[in-house]
Amino acid sequence: MRPRRLVVVVGTGTGVGKTWVSARVLTTLRAAGVAVAARKPAQSFDAGDDPAGLDAAVLGAATGEDSETVCPPHRWYEVAMAPPMAADVLGRDRITTSGIIEEMTWPAQGVDVGLVESAGGVRSPQTHDGDAVALVAALAPDVVVLVADAGLGTINAVRLSVGALAEGGTRETTNVVVVLNRFDEDNDLHRRNRTWLREQDGMTVVALPGQEAELATMVR
């Protein structure tokens, strides 16, 4: 059963904090009594990484789900590369966008907000036949959360990412919420980046940490 509200979290690149942002908004929603679930279609990591710190485990801790429910065990790739590249290195089967969507089951009792977290940036390969833009287009979510760093270069990265999402079939760019992560209110550049994206580009922008409640309201 599809969640009442489907949210896809993407990033302007690797390491911008998608999982942290996802966990914060899920925790906030759950604390407010909202039924939530999270899915990570595929995750890649270093073989020596702590299992408790893997994306699926962090998301599962936020929703109360087992990490193998969040991400099927056969989609765990112990090579720190884009999932299809990791699959090739490990000699695993090819990954297809339709295949990972078919695997994406939700709780039978239904959930209010279902969150899907992609890997890497919007043009990072998620499968052998699609990137995060293709995944978003196939899922047709109600909201896309685009996570970006708050600092230097973020205006360019956000513009390129939003443009790619629009070209890839996202229904409206207005359903994209930009999250400036690791935001420091005392940092002049961070504040100016937020103002520019809001006023010059007309984007919906929230800053984390600090605006978890506002982001939760936007996705629910």
Side-chain angles (χ1 to χ4, degrees), residues 5-12 16 18 21-22 25 115 122 136 141-149 158 161-162 165 170 172-181 194 197-198 202-208 211-220:
R5 294 275 286 177
L6 184 62
V7 179
V8 177
V9 177
V10 298
T12 56
V16 294
K18 292 186 302 297
V21 169
S22 297
V25 71
L115 182 147
V122 297
V136 169
D142 298 290
V143 181
V144 177
V145 173
L146 174 65
V147 181
D149 187 77
V158 168
S161 297
V162 171
L165 289 165
T170 300
E172 300 176 7
T173 56
T174 52
N175 75 342
V176 176
V177 177
V178 177
V179 174
L180 294 183
N181 194 25
R194 178 178 59 189
L197 290 169
R198 284 176 175 173
M203 296 183 187
T204 302
V205 183
V206 298
L208 292 187
Q211 289 191 298
E212 287 84 355
E214 289 86 343
L215 179 57
T217 298
M218 291 174 184
V219 304
R220 66 180 295 190

Side-chain angles (χ1 to χ4, degrees), residues 32-97:
V34 178
V36 296
R39 297 293 178 264
K40 180 84 174 181
Q43 65 174 359
S44 52
F45 51 92
D46 286 319
D49 287 349
D50 180 1
L54 299 183
D55 292 351
V58 174
L59 295 172
T63 62
E65 299 171 290
D66 184 86
S67 60
E68 293 188 359
T69 299
V70 174
C71 181
H74 67 284
R75 297 301 184 196
W76 295 36
Y77 301 99
E78 57 274 18
V79 176
M81 297 180 183
M85 297 172 67
D88 289 344
V89 169
L90 295 168
R92 308 269 187 86
D93 292 341
R94 287 173 59 84
I95 313 171
T96 65
T97 301

